[in-house]
Amino acid sequence: MTLPFPVTDAPDPAAEEAGRRLFATGGEFLKGVVAMDGMPPADRIEVCFAGRSNVGKSTLINALTGRKALARASNTPGRTQEINFFTLADSHYLVDLPGYGFANAPVAVVAKWQALLKAYLAGRPSLRRAFVLIDARHGVKEVDEQIMSLLDASAVTFQTVLTKADKVKDADRDAALDQTRRALARHPAAYPELIVTSSEKGWGIPTLRATIATME
């Protein structure tokens, strides 16, 4: 039986090399944006990363680029309220969206961030795909469903990436995958494959690099 939302196969050698070459540039921080008029020109392929606070988003971006501190992880979940743009070579933007699901931010701050996120998702013609990060220890939560529904409404294709896969036993990881698949079945914008990663162990990093490098 073919599973819905299978785990993406390891890339073929050509795709893996394309990913290696793209990310060998290391990436550079371009700017943090707090309003739509601060967005850089939409002149290259763009992918964004979204995830709950403490899902390992900054660590994953650092693992992809091979830079230990390119994306800075905050000790206070939800503290960073900017959309951060990073460049890869002259061909790609990596976009780090603020972590969501934090409980301690003021209501006004959350509302402002939500408005900026909606405007960004609706207004970036160069945005090819969003990567929604799900912690393998916890699976999809209600707040993840909310961001997925926003991506559905914005007609932005999103691909789910399980993070911290090395932190759980095989059976628990399989259970998280099954629960994630059931959740994704409710979202028309969901890309039909999953990527399983561990930034610490390097699992899935070549696959994610190749996915981004070979995107048209």
Side-chain angles (χ1 to χ4, degrees):
M1 183 179 76
T2 301
L3 286 171
F5 300 99
V7 174
T8 301
D9 291 333
D12 63 43
E16 183 169 352
E17 177 62 11
R20 187 199 66 77
R21 289 169 61 91
L22 175 63
F23 281 88
T25 62
E28 296 291 339
F29 175 72
L30 179 63
K31 65 188 305 188
V33 174
V34 295
M36 286 300 291
D37 59 8
M39 296 284 172
D43 59 358
R44 63 194 70 188
I45 291 173
E46 188 169 320
V47 297
C48 68
F49 293 83
R52 293 195 309 273
S53 298
N54 203 34
V55 76
K57 182 158 50 65
S58 297
T59 305
L60 180 64
I61 291 172
N62 291 337
L64 286 169
T65 59
R67 302 269 305 269
K68 290 185 177 180
L70 181 65
R72 295 181 180 178
S74 171
N75 290 327
T76 304
R79 186 169 120 191
T80 302
Q81 294 302 306
E82 297 179 335
I83 295 178
N84 290 313
F85 281 79
F86 303 90
T87 58
L88 277 178
D90 294 321
S91 58
H92 289 69
Y93 286 133
L94 296 185
V95 183
D96 183 8
L97 301 179
Y100 55 80
F102 43 88
N104 296 324
V107 173
V109 170
V110 175
K112 183 178 180 181
W113 171 76
Q114 288 174 337
L116 177 60
L117 178 60
K118 289 177 182 178
Y120 166 73
L121 293 175
R124 290 297 285 182
S126 54
L127 180 59
R128 295 293 194 275
R129 189 175 303 172
F131 292 99
V132 176
L133 276 52
I134 301 296
D135 191 322
R137 300 171 300 178
H138 306 303
V140 175
K141 301 293 188 182
E142 182 179 353
V143 70
D144 299 311
E145 295 264 18
Q146 292 171 5
I147 200 77
M148 291 173 182
S149 294
L150 178 57
L151 290 159
D152 291 337
S154 303
V156 174
T157 299
F158 69 88
Q159 185 165 10
T160 299
V161 177
L162 255 65
T163 62
K164 305 184 182 182
D166 61 309
K167 305 299 184 185
V168 295
K169 296 177 181 177
D170 290 351
D172 293 332
R173 185 166 60 247
D174 289 343
L177 280 167
D178 288 343
Q179 186 258 5
T180 299
R181 289 177 175 121
R182 290 194 297 272
L184 292 176
R186 298 189 286 269
H187 294 282
Y191 189 81
E193 293 180 353
L194 301 164
I195 299 176
V196 177
T197 67
S198 162
S199 297
E200 186 174 313
K201 303 291 187 182
W203 301 348
I205 298 301
T207 300
L208 187 49
R209 286 174 176 163
T211 298
I212 294 169
T214 57
M215 204 173 287
E216 296 182 355

